[in-house]
């Protein structure tokens, strides 16, 4: 089994009754049938523009607020909020209505606020260095479960007079294995919450049919590909889906995304000590990234329980970046955020599970 490449699950087994942010405007209009026509605008604007809970949408009758609350319950119950030392990073552990756990990270920077959302409970892609991959797949998230993560982070940001400017689908799960609901969530965030498409990013492990379908959406939403190795032998080890969609196939899909959308592609590269941080790795990466004009994000690996290797020392990360620059590739080092609060993908859930065990 260990040598088999992972497959994307097709079963959704989502809760069948919709939650607060699952309905699109038309479906919410149907639910409000019998109300005056302007009610839909009031409710929609209350939920998505003013980020209000139904109980606080004060320009609609109280009975309607209660009815919405009962018919469309929220999908997320906060289990824990961890705040990092600098107070600029918060991590939320949520319980879904069927009991599964997911995480969201909220990061304030000087010039922007970013939310990192989960697209699945767990993940089936089995990358060994990733805490979510180590734990396995629970289920896909619905559109509303993804949108709600952003709304809740937005409500919390408003307490300190900040608003969410960027959303990255870099939390738990593989977004391109759940593209239908992810695409609807992107649309809702763009059109209703008002986050520009160029401020939305989807990160993929490299599920090629997903990249093709994402390209065909012809949107301006950004794409990041988790590369981590630029030769097939090494990438097969680090990112098992590579056995199904090897690097040359991945490069063709990336090329078509760039050609079709005109957007710059990013590669993510978790720097793992002695594994993918040598000069030879940098040379392979430069050769792979150059024809695609991709930008490289270097992320020092966060240690996880079931993976013995640690992140590269910062000096090595910077040397690696310099090698890439010399090779003509644009690269930046992503500042680790919230390492003290287990903010890397899946870590909080893993910790919560082991504490409860
Ligand atoms: N499944 C998607 C999105 C979720 S993971 C994907 O693979 O892109 C988001 C990013 O965090 C990916 O680049 C992933 O490889 C990286 N990541 C996972 N575990 C990590 C860890 N322990 N340290 C650093 N980066 C990690």
């Amino acid at each position: 089994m260990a040598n088999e490449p992972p497959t994307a699950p097709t079963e959704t087994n989502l809760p069948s009754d919709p939650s607060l942010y699952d309905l699109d405007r038309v479906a919410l209009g149907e639910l409000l049938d019998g109300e005056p026509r302007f009610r839909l605008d009031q409710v929609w604007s209350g939920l998505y523009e003013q980020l209000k809970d139904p109980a606080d949408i004060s320009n609609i009758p109280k009975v309607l607020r209660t009815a919405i609350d009962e018919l469309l319950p929220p999908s997320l119950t906060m289990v824990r909020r961890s705040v990092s030392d600098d107070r600029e990073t918060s991590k939320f552990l949520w319980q879904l209505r069927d009991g599964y756990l997911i995480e969201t990270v909220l990061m304030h920077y000087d010039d922007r606020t970013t939310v990192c959302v989960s697209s699945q409970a767990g993940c089936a892609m089995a990358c060994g260095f990733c805490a979510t991959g180590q734990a396995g797949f629970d289920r896909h998230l619905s559109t509303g479960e993804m949108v709600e993560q952003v709304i809740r982070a937005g409500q919390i940001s408003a307490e300190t007079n900040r608003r969410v400017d960027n959303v990255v689908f870099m939390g738990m799960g593989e977004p391109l294995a759940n593209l239908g609901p992810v695409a609807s969530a992107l649309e809702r965030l763009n059109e209703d919450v008002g986050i520009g498409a160029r401020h939305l990013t989807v990160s993929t492990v490299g599920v090629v049919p997903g990249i093709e379908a994402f390209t065909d959406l012809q949107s301006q939403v950004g794409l990041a590909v988790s590369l981590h190795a630029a030769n097939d032998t090494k990438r097969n080890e680090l990112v098992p889906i590579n056995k199904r969609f090897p690097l040359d196939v991945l490069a063709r899909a990336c090329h078509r995304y760039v050609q079709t959308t005109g957007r710059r592609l990013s590669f993510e590269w978790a720097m793992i000590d002695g594994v993918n941080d040598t000069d030879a790795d940098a040379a392979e990466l430069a050769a792979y990234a150059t024809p695609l004009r991709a930008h490289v994000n270097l992320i020092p690996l966060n240690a996880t329980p079931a993976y013995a290797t640690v992140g590269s020392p910062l000096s090595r990360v910077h040397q690696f970046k310099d090698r890439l620059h010399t090779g003509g590739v644009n690269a930046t080092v992503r500042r680790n955020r919230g390492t003290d609060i287990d903010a890397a993908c899946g870590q909080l859930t893993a910790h919560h599970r082991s504490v409860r065990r």
Side-chain angles (χ1 to χ4, degrees), residues 9-294:
T10 48
E11 285 292 312
T12 60
N13 56 3
L14 287 172
S16 51
D17 46 332
S19 64
L20 183 55
Y21 302 95
D22 272 317
L23 300 193
D24 63 18
R25 205 184 155 97
V26 173
L28 187 66
E30 284 163 10
L31 196 80
L32 296 178
D33 195 28
E35 290 288 327
R37 288 178 69 94
F38 57 83
R39 285 277 181 257
L40 178 58
D41 285 340
Q42 290 175 319
V43 175
W44 200 256
S45 146
L47 292 177
Y48 292 102
E49 286 163 24
Q50 300 158 49
L51 308 185
K52 286 186 168 168
D53 288 332
D56 300 326
I57 305 178
S58 50
N59 55 349
I60 63 169
K62 201 159 181 212
V63 316
L64 187 58
R65 294 181 226 165
T66 313
I68 295 174
D69 241 348
E70 275 165 17
L71 287 170
L72 299 174
S75 63
L76 307 178
T77 304
M78 197 187 291
V79 176
R80 191 139 69 95
R81 175 181 180 179
S82 323
V83 180
S84 71
D85 288 342
D86 62 9
R87 301 205 56 82
E88 295 295 80
T89 304
S90 289
K91 177 139 187 172
F92 305 95
L93 179 68
W94 310 106
Q95 184 159 42
L96 303 173
R97 286 181 297 158
D98 53 8
Y100 290 119
L101 297 169
I102 60 158
E103 301 168 13
T104 306
V105 186
L106 169 63
M107 291 161 283
H108 297 300
Y109 299 88
D110 289 344
D111 58 341
R112 64 188 193 279
T113 289
T114 299
V115 179
C116 176
V117 306
S118 295
S119 57
Q120 299 176 319
C123 184
M125 297 297 118
C127 303
F129 57 86
C130 170
T132 309
Q134 291 160 13
F137 179 74
D138 294 327
R139 69 162 169 83
H140 293 303
L141 297 190
S142 72
T143 299
E145 287 169 330
M146 291 181 261
V147 171
E148 189 170 334
Q149 295 174 59
V150 178
I151 303 270
R152 302 286 282 264
Q155 291 170 335
I156 288 160
S157 300
E159 292 167 8
T160 51
N161 297 318
R162 288 186 266 211
R163 52 167 287 151
V164 174
D165 318 278
N166 291 286
V167 176
V168 295
F169 284 69
M170 292 185 184
M172 298 169 85
E174 169 48 43
L176 295 190
N178 185 22
L179 184 58
V182 166
S184 304
L186 289 167
E187 202 177 294
R188 193 79 54 79
L189 294 173
N190 177 225
E191 290 175 8
D192 301 303
V193 182
I195 301 171
R198 298 171 78 93
H199 294 263
L200 299 168
T201 303
V202 168
S203 175
T204 180
V205 71
V207 180
V208 166
I211 297 175
E212 300 288 4
F214 181 72
T215 300
D216 291 336
L217 296 177
Q218 307 239 4
S219 76
Q220 284 295 295
V221 173
L223 182 67
V225 174
S226 300
L227 204 60
H228 306 316
N231 78 63
D232 281 316
T233 313
K234 203 174 273 191
R235 196 163 190 269
N236 286 347
E237 284 295 312
L238 290 175
V239 181
I241 197 79
N242 192 70
K243 293 175 207 157
R244 196 171 300 269
F245 307 115
L247 284 161
D248 59 339
V249 176
L250 178 62
R252 280 201 291 278
C254 290
H255 183 72
R256 196 171 80 83
Y257 166 79
V258 173
Q259 290 292 107
T260 307
T261 63
R263 291 228 50 197
R264 193 181 64 173
L265 178 78
S266 307
F267 284 133
E268 290 159 281
W269 192 280
M271 299 275 306
I272 313 174
D273 194 22
V275 172
N276 65 353
D277 63 353
T278 65
D279 289 352
D281 293 301
E284 283 171 356
L285 170 54
Y288 194 79
T290 300
L292 294 164
R293 297 173 193 236

Side-chain angles (χ1 to χ4, degrees), residues 269-271 298-302 311-312 314 317 333-336:
W269 192 280
M271 299 275 306
L298 301 171
I299 319 150
L301 184 88
N302 277 302
S312 312
L314 219 53
V317 176
V333 176
R334 191 184 291 162
R335 219 174 104 203
N336 278 76

